Amino acid sequence: MKKITMLALILAASLAAAPGQAAGVPDAGQSKIDAKAVKQQSYPKVVLYSVAWCPHCKDAKEYFTKNNIPFINKDVEIDDKAMDELTKKYKSQGVPVIVLDDTKVLKGFSPEMFEKAVKEIQSKK
């Protein structure tokens, strides 16, 4: 019941905040990476928990795509399993949540925070 209530609140907020977006703007979805353009730097596995209407989620997707960073996008509004992972495993009610190599969890997004976390993970390898 909590899931339904939460999803209803998220949907209501999205319709109120951006009525044009809720109807038909496609989600960026999975990253579209040109294999030849991938940087020499190897990134850890990046999983982004997001919703289509969230401006910070959009910023993260655009940053990853622009910088050829492969990522998996899990839209918690349409994927019940992703919602369960977000709320139970990562103890978050908000998005974006970024999980690096299944070990480092970032709540929110900024390029600086993301790159700092990546460097921490790379230095441990």
Side-chain angles (χ1 to χ4, degrees):
M1 189 63 157
K2 284 184 180 180
K3 268 195 232 180
I4 293 171
T5 303
M6 185 173 175
L7 288 175
L9 288 173
I10 290 171
L11 180 59
S14 69
L15 292 173
Q21 281 190 333
V25 175
D27 189 354
Q30 302 299 324
S31 60
K32 294 159 185 70
I33 302 295
D34 178 1
K36 294 178 184 176
V38 175
K39 293 181 187 178
Q40 291 287 344
Q41 180 180 15
S42 63
Y43 280 91
K45 177 183 172 186
V46 177
V47 179
L48 171 66
Y49 292 86
S50 68
V51 292
W53 51 266
C54 167
H56 303 292
C57 302
K58 182 180 177 203
D59 290 345
K61 291 180 224 177
E62 288 175 356
Y63 179 82
F64 298 151
T65 302
K66 177 181 156 199
N67 291 287
N68 295 311
I69 301 168
F71 71 100
I72 298 166
N73 183 52
K74 294 189 176 188
D75 188 321
V76 299
E77 282 186 313
I78 59 175
D79 183 346
D80 288 339
K81 184 178 175 192
M83 178 65 88
D84 281 345
E85 290 171 4
L86 178 70
T87 57
K88 293 177 182 158
K89 185 175 182 180
Y90 300 114
K91 309 282 189 250
S92 181
Q93 296 291 322
V95 289
V97 170
I98 301 166
V99 181
L100 304 172
D101 268 356
D102 298 319
T103 58
K104 182 83 172 167
V105 179
L106 306 175
K107 294 182 179 181
F109 173 75
S110 78
E112 298 80 16
M113 178 176 65
F114 174 76
E115 291 299 334
K116 180 180 177 189
V118 167
K119 287 179 181 159
E120 287 175 15
I121 288 174
Q122 290 172 334
S123 70
K124 293 178 183 177
K125 288 185 177 182

